[in-house]
Amino acid sequence: SEKALELDSQSSWLKTNLAHAHLFLGHYTKALEIYTASFGQSISKGTFEDEVLKDFIAFRESGLDHPDMKRIEEAIQDLKAHA
C-alpha cells in the first residue's frame, strides 16, 4: 500500500488499506495517524471515517477483531464530537 500511495497519494481506499494493515500488525500509532489525517475527507460513499467504521463492522462480522479497533472508533467519535 505504501508503494501504491507513492503513485496515487489521494486514493482513499489505499489509505484505508494501509491503516487497516498497520492496525492488525499492532502499529496503533501509525494506524491512528492515517485514520485521523484522512478524517472528514469526502469519498464516493460518504466520509473516510464512515467507511472505516463500516469496514470495522465487516471485519467483526467476518470474525476479525483487534483490541485497538475500539480505540480507533473512540478516537473517530471524539474527532466527530469536536468537528
Side-chain angles (χ1 to χ4, degrees):
S1 290
E2 289 174 347
K3 273 284 197 209
L5 276 171
E6 289 176 16
L7 300 173
D8 184 3
S9 64
Q10 300 306 307
S11 175
S12 61
W13 71 270
L14 288 173
K15 290 177 189 178
T16 305
N17 286 349
L18 180 60
H20 292 341
H22 282 296
L23 176 70
F24 282 103
L25 288 170
H27 306 152
Y28 171 80
T29 302
K30 186 63 180 170
L32 182 63
E33 286 175 18
I34 297 167
Y35 291 130
T36 57
S38 299
F39 181 83
Q41 289 183 353
S42 293
I43 56 175
S44 62
K45 299 176 187 174
T47 63
F48 180 85
E49 61 273 13
D50 290 337
E51 287 304 306
V52 168
L53 296 175
K54 288 178 191 175
D55 285 351
F56 285 5
I57 291 168
F59 288 151
R60 288 184 176 115
E61 288 174 350
S62 298
L64 294 172
D65 202 353
H66 191 283
D68 286 336
M69 286 170 58
K70 182 69 175 161
R71 292 174 65 193
I72 297 293
E73 289 167 326
E74 290 169 356
I76 289 172
Q77 294 306 324
D78 200 37
L79 286 169
K80 284 183 173 186
H82 294 97

